[in-house]
Amino acid sequence: MMKVIILGADGYLGWALALRLAKRGHEVIGVDNLYTRDAVREVGSDSAFPLPDPEERISAARKLLDVDITFYRADVKDFDKLHEIIQRHKPEAIVHFAEQRSAPYSMIDVNHANYTLINNLTSTINLIYSIIKVDPSIHILKMGTMGEYGTPNYDILESPFVEVEINGKKDKIPFPKWASSWYHWSKVYDSYNLMWANKVWNLTITDIMQGPVYGTRTEEIIDEKLRTRFDFDEVWGTVVNRYCVEAVLGLPLTPYGKGGQTRGFISLEDSMQALTILLEHPPSQGEYRVVNQIHEVYSVGQIANMVKEVGESMGLTVKIQNVNNPRVEKEEHYYNVETKILPSLGFSPKKNLKNEIRNIIEDLIPYKNRLESFKHVILPKTDWRRGRT
Ligand code: USQ
């Protein structure tokens, strides 16, 4: 069994992973500054499911799952605090989710752009330096994003490097990246910084390129008190989860622009399975490993049709209304992603989008009244091109 620190343990993925790892018998130490809770309130929204305080969640986990999770309310931008926690617990692995994770939030204005870049880059640098001081053999499992690559007109390989030929001379370069928000760029810069830390100090790193995650359920979320947060507003919600809330509220589903934007999706449950596998099968000591963590590839238009079909089969009236795209992104494009590493380690997805949409809608219906009061934060307002509030 391993000792694992999760930075960002209060988030959508962080809390679900804390439960998964603890239930598998690993010792889990969670760290979070609870920033996401405040930043979601800042845009006038909240999680679809009311969230207990970290202490209440942890005692619910103790009671319902018989697991013990240690929690620190701390900011990983504070190097001394982060170092002290790592020094105290000396884990085998550290999962790094403690970053601002919304693309729209990063595009609101100069303050939000700076917050995103400073928070995200500083947290990763602090983690690198803490590990060098405590024990350079600690495995870093870092959440990157498929959005680092953008939507190129070539295959997205699962490799940190690619060989190129320029004017007849060949060399290896970092795999090309072309992000589409300050948030996504912050992850590109993090990846370069990790690659560099690996070269200088031989750190052992898994950099995960994950697509948008959807879903409300994991094997451990067996009670309302154990729910992980679920965002749906225009800033914090991601596309599948947003469409499901729109369907429940009788609002038209909102593909942006032409709706041909294609991404690689994964359910919350399968994301947990993948992360657990990557922790339990670390790369060799001193390796920088890049993993593409997606399951099914769909366009946002196709997903709208799927949510409409499932919603209607459940008795909801669901319309689709494409809205002006507030983002700067390709609306029709090639998309082909290599995914070899996770299957080679035994990853076998248990969920698919269609079945999971039904489960999400089923879980949201009892919260319809609560969701009604957030109707005004659903249509997109954050316009990439405006750059100010
Ligand atoms: N979109 C719509 N309608 C909506 C919401 C979004 O058409 O109502 C479109 C967007 O324009 C975009 C696509 O759906 O083309 C994905 O947007 P998203 O909001 O679901 O996800 P994104 O902003 O890309 O970010 C999310 C997570 C982020 C993670 C990323 C993975 O917030 O933390 O890194 O998904 S990826 O998309 O592969 O970069």
Side-chain angles (χ1 to χ4, degrees):
M1 289 301 111
M2 267 186 295
K3 202 187 280 184
V4 183
I5 295 182
I6 302 176
L7 308 176
D10 192 55
Y12 180 50
L13 301 175
W15 175 242
L17 186 65
L19 295 180
R20 170 63 46 94
L21 295 179
K23 195 66 199 152
R24 285 178 71 80
H26 299 300
E27 184 178 340
V28 177
I29 299 107
V31 179
D32 206 300
N33 63 354
L34 308 191
Y35 177 77
T36 305
R37 293 185 186 227
D38 293 337
V40 174
R41 274 186 222 115
E42 179 196 330
V43 303
S45 191
D46 204 342
S47 162
F49 310 113
L51 294 183
D53 290 339
E55 296 70 25
E56 292 170 49
R57 285 179 139 181
I58 286 165
S59 72
R62 190 175 303 121
K63 222 158 93 193
L64 296 157
L65 297 174
D66 192 24
V67 295
D68 266 314
I69 296 168
T70 305
F71 180 78
Y72 294 97
R73 183 171 180 171
D75 190 336
V76 293
K77 283 203 300 304
D78 179 343
F79 174 75
D80 292 337
K81 186 77 202 163
L82 178 66
H83 172 250
E84 182 198 313
I85 294 170
I86 297 174
Q87 178 70 44
R88 185 177 317 150
H89 292 279
K90 296 202 171 65
E92 275 94 39
I94 302 180
V95 181
H96 183 16
F97 292 152
E99 299 208 335
Q100 193 296 93
R101 49 114 169 135
S102 158
Y105 191 82
S106 75
M107 297 300 291
I108 292 175
D109 61 13
V110 62
N111 294 330
H112 293 80
N114 272 327
Y115 176 80
T116 304
L117 289 162
I118 292 167
N119 182 76
N120 292 4
L121 272 69
T122 307
S123 65
T124 298
I125 292 290
N126 282 351
L127 176 59
I128 291 168
Y129 275 88
S130 300
I131 283 183
I132 298 166
K133 268 179 99 172
V134 176
D135 175 3
S137 75
I138 296 172
H139 175 205
I140 301 179
L141 189 76
K142 164 71 168 57
M143 185 50 73
T145 170
M146 280 304 300
E148 292 186 31
Y149 300 117
T151 52
N153 199 30
Y154 47 79
D155 293 347
I156 296 171
L157 303 180
E158 198 174 32
S159 160
F161 304 105
V162 64
E163 195 174 81
V164 295
E165 185 177 324
I166 297 177
N167 291 344
K169 304 267 287 170
K170 286 189 185 161
D171 209 342
K172 263 191 183 170
I173 59 166
F175 199 85
K177 307 277 173 98
W178 194 255
S180 61
S181 72
W182 294 123
Y183 155 73
H184 288 101
W185 279 112
S186 75
K187 297 276 183 176
V188 173
Y189 307 142
D190 276 343
S191 285
Y192 290 143
N193 293 345
L194 290 167
M195 217 181 264
W196 175 239
N198 163 263
K199 197 174 166 82
V200 180
W201 295 288
N202 282 319
L203 298 190
T204 305
I205 300 165
T206 302
D207 201 357
I208 306 158
M209 304 300 136
Q210 185 172 243
V213 182
Y214 60 88
T216 46
R217 300 183 185 181
T218 66
E219 281 169 16
E220 294 74 25
I221 301 179
I222 52 167
D223 187 277
E224 294 299 300
K225 290 197 193 80
L226 295 177
R227 282 208 183 280
T228 195
R229 62 174 309 115
F230 184 95
D231 295 293
F232 54 88
D233 62 81
E234 58 111 10
V235 173
W236 294 95
T238 53
V239 64
V240 180
N241 293 353
R242 276 170 55 68
Y243 285 171
C244 291
V245 169
E246 290 167 346
V248 168
L249 289 177
L251 297 170
L253 311 187
T254 51
Y256 295 165
K258 291 183 189 150
Q261 301 91 309
T262 301
R263 302 286 183 273
F265 293 85
I266 187 164
S267 69
L268 184 62
E269 170 62 39
D270 289 330
S271 172
M272 293 306 113
Q273 186 200 153
L275 293 164
T276 305
I277 287 175
L278 294 173
L279 279 167
E280 292 174 358
H281 300 82
S284 339
Q285 270 295 316
E287 184 185 344
Y288 172 71
R289 171 173 74 170
V290 170
V291 176
N292 292 340
Q293 186 161 303
I294 65 167
H295 173 31
E296 292 167 290
V297 173
Y298 289 110
S299 74
V300 298
Q302 288 172 320
I303 297 174
N305 289 328
M306 219 183 270
V307 172
K308 181 175 162 60
E309 194 191 316
V310 176
E312 287 178 343
S313 77
M314 298 173 79
L316 301 171
T317 306
V318 187
K319 292 206 172 67
I320 300 175
Q321 190 167 24
N322 292 52
V323 296
N324 283 341
N325 196 340
R327 304 187 179 198
V328 177
E329 61 184 358
K330 285 186 223 157
E331 295 179 2
E332 281 166 329
H333 55 88
Y334 178 76
Y335 201 63
N336 190 32
V337 182
E338 181 177 61
T339 50
K340 286 204 287 219
I341 296 176
L342 276 165
S344 79
L345 297 175
F347 173 66
S348 137
K350 291 193 194 139
K351 304 282 179 178
N352 67 54
L353 195 46
K354 212 162 178 178
N355 294 341
E356 212 49 17
I357 288 170
R358 177 172 294 274
N359 292 336
I360 299 172
I361 294 178
E362 214 174 84
D363 288 351
L364 287 171
I365 287 174
Y367 292 91
K368 187 165 180 233
N369 280 345
R370 177 178 165 89
L371 292 167
E372 291 278 354
S373 55
F374 297 111
K375 259 183 165 166
H376 59 289
V377 290
I378 291 184
L379 276 179
K381 284 194 283 246
T382 307
D383 187 330
W384 263 220
R385 293 171 182 84
R386 193 170 58 219
R388 62 192 148 78
T389 38

